[in-house]
Amino acid sequence: MIASSGTNLRLYHYAGNNPIKYTDPDGNIAISLALFAATVVSFLYFQTPAGQQGIQATGELLYYGIVSANKAVSNAVNNTVECVKINVEHYTAAKVKAQELTHEKTDRKSIGSYTITFESGKTYSGKGKLNRAIESAAYRSWANNTMPIAIDWEAAKNNEDALVDEYKRIQDHGGPRSRNKDAPKYNYNLIQSPGEKIYKARNGGQEYPQKKME
C-alpha cells in the first residue's frame, strides 16, 4: 500500500501484514488486538463507580501520599462491608419474620403453593415446600426493600397440582409483570407459571381468568 504526503512517497503494510493479531485504525500504526481490547475494557471499567473510586484513590496516592490513599481505599472497603452487613441483616430479619408467620404450619415435607404479602402492599406467588416459601419471602423482601406481613401456603396433592395452584394464585393477584403492564403495582412476579399449560390442558384450552385489580 502506498501513502502520499506532498511529493514524498512511503510504503506501509496494513496491520503489519497480520490483521489477525493486530488492528490498524488509521492505516498507519499496527496495534495489538489484545492490547486494544484491554484498553477498551479498562476504559469501560473506569466509567463505573468502582473504577472512578479507584482513580480517586490512585490520585490521592500520587498527590497526598500513601497514607491518604490507604485511607481512601479503607473507606471504600468499609463502605462495601457496611452495605453487605445491612443487606444481610435485612435478609435475616425477613427470614425470621417469615418463620414466625408460618410457625403454625406443621407440614414441612409436602409440596404446595404460596402467596406472600409484603408491607409494600404487593404480593409474590410461588410453588414449593414451606421452606421454599420462607426463603422466597426473605429474598423478595431483601430485593424490594420491604418486609413480609403474611404467608398463605397450602399443600397440593402432587407437583402438577402445585404448579396449577401457583398459576391461579398469580392470576388472582393481577397476572405476571411480563404480560400485564399494571402488574408492577400489585405483585413481584415477573413471569407466568408453567402451571398455565397444565391448567389449559385440563380445561379444554381455557385460561384461568386474571383478576382485575382495583
Side-chain angles (χ1 to χ4, degrees):
M1 189 176 295
I2 300 176
S4 175
S5 177
T7 58
N8 296 321
L9 296 178
R10 55 190 175 87
L11 301 177
Y12 64 85
H13 303 288
Y14 175 79
N17 277 341
N18 192 347
I20 295 178
K21 185 177 180 181
Y22 297 97
T23 184
D24 198 352
D26 62 2
N28 289 289
I29 302 175
I31 303 173
S32 166
L33 287 177
L35 176 60
F36 182 73
T39 301
V40 172
V41 170
S42 297
F43 174 78
L44 294 176
Y45 168 73
F46 285 123
Q47 308 312 304
T48 66
Q52 291 293 317
Q53 193 169 49
I55 291 174
Q56 182 178 357
T58 301
E60 291 193 4
L61 175 62
L62 297 175
Y63 189 77
Y64 294 108
I66 191 95
V67 175
S68 295
N70 281 341
K71 183 178 180 181
V73 173
S74 178
N75 287 341
V77 171
N78 289 338
N79 289 340
T80 301
V81 170
E82 185 63 24
C83 181
V84 171
K85 181 180 178 182
I86 291 172
N87 284 320
V88 170
E89 288 176 348
H90 184 114
Y91 181 91
T92 302
K95 187 171 182 178
V96 170
K97 180 64 175 180
Q99 290 170 333
E100 292 175 354
L101 293 170
T102 58
H103 76 278
E104 293 184 355
K105 296 286 185 179
T106 57
D107 186 350
R108 303 279 165 168
K109 295 183 178 180
S110 297
I111 194 165
S113 65
Y114 57 86
T115 296
I116 308 162
T117 302
F118 297 90
E119 288 179 344
S120 64
K122 297 183 181 182
T123 62
Y124 179 82
S125 299
K127 182 217 82 172
K129 296 180 180 180
L130 185 59
N131 284 341
R132 174 65 179 271
I134 293 172
E135 291 290 347
S136 183
Y139 172 74
R140 299 293 166 184
S141 172
W142 165 79
N144 298 284
N145 194 30
T146 184
M147 292 294 287
I149 58 175
I151 299 178
D152 174 31
W153 179 89
E154 293 295 335
K157 293 181 179 179
N158 51 53
N159 187 64
E160 284 197 350
D161 283 357
L163 284 170
V164 169
D165 291 342
E166 176 189 48
Y167 163 60
K168 293 165 71 175
R169 286 176 181 273
I170 293 174
Q171 292 293 85
D172 284 341
H173 290 87
R177 294 168 62 176
S178 60
R179 299 188 187 179
N180 179 7
K181 64 182 178 64
D182 294 324
K185 298 179 181 179
Y186 317 123
N187 66 59
Y188 296 123
N189 286 91
L190 298 177
I191 59 175
Q192 188 57 280
S193 167
E196 178 184 32
K197 293 182 179 179
I198 301 173
Y199 180 88
K200 287 182 177 180
R202 292 178 178 180
N203 293 275
Q206 294 294 316
E207 290 185 353
Y208 181 80
Q210 177 179 297
K211 184 176 179 180
K212 186 175 181 180
M213 308 297 287
E214 295 297 333

